[in-house]
Amino acid sequence: MSGVIAAVTVRAADRAKALGAEQALETLRQELEQVPRLGVLLGPPRQDGTEVRKTRIEPREGLPGLAVAYVYTPAPPPPTVAIVAVTPDDGVPAE
């Protein structure tokens, strides 16, 4: 265990529910506890180390591809991840 605490905001959970992606989001939440810097960094990190990042949940049967935005905060301990937004993603993943 990495010691990172990951949580989903109420707004992101509601959006995932509306999209039928509750289980996929829970799986991602668990993964972020192990690897809190998935996906791409959106803008420079703040001086305190806080980062806003985006990752993607790949499309599956009955579920569109989803873009997931989250905030990683390393300090004060324990490090935390807050999933703040879930949106349908029609984009093609970057290679």
Side-chain angles (χ1 to χ4, degrees):
M1 182 115 179
S2 70
V4 175
I5 297 172
V8 179
T9 64
V10 171
R11 176 171 267 178
D14 288 347
R15 185 69 170 143
K17 184 176 182 178
L19 294 166
E22 296 160 295
Q23 185 56 50
L25 189 62
E26 174 57 20
T27 299
L28 176 61
R29 186 199 66 74
Q30 292 173 9
E31 189 173 357
L32 288 169
E33 286 184 337
Q34 301 303 313
V35 184
R37 290 183 167 133
L38 290 176
V40 296
L41 183 62
L42 300 176
R46 292 180 22 179
Q47 285 186 337
D48 65 0
T50 298
E51 300 173 354
V52 177
R53 301 184 74 87
K54 181 178 96 168
T55 191
R56 187 168 195 268
I57 295 174
E58 294 298 322
R60 303 172 191 163
E61 187 173 324
L63 179 66
L66 301 171
V68 179
Y70 66 94
V71 178
Y72 169 70
T73 307
T80 59
V81 169
I83 297 172
V84 296
V86 177
T87 57
D89 182 14
D90 336 347
V92 177
E95 294 184 20

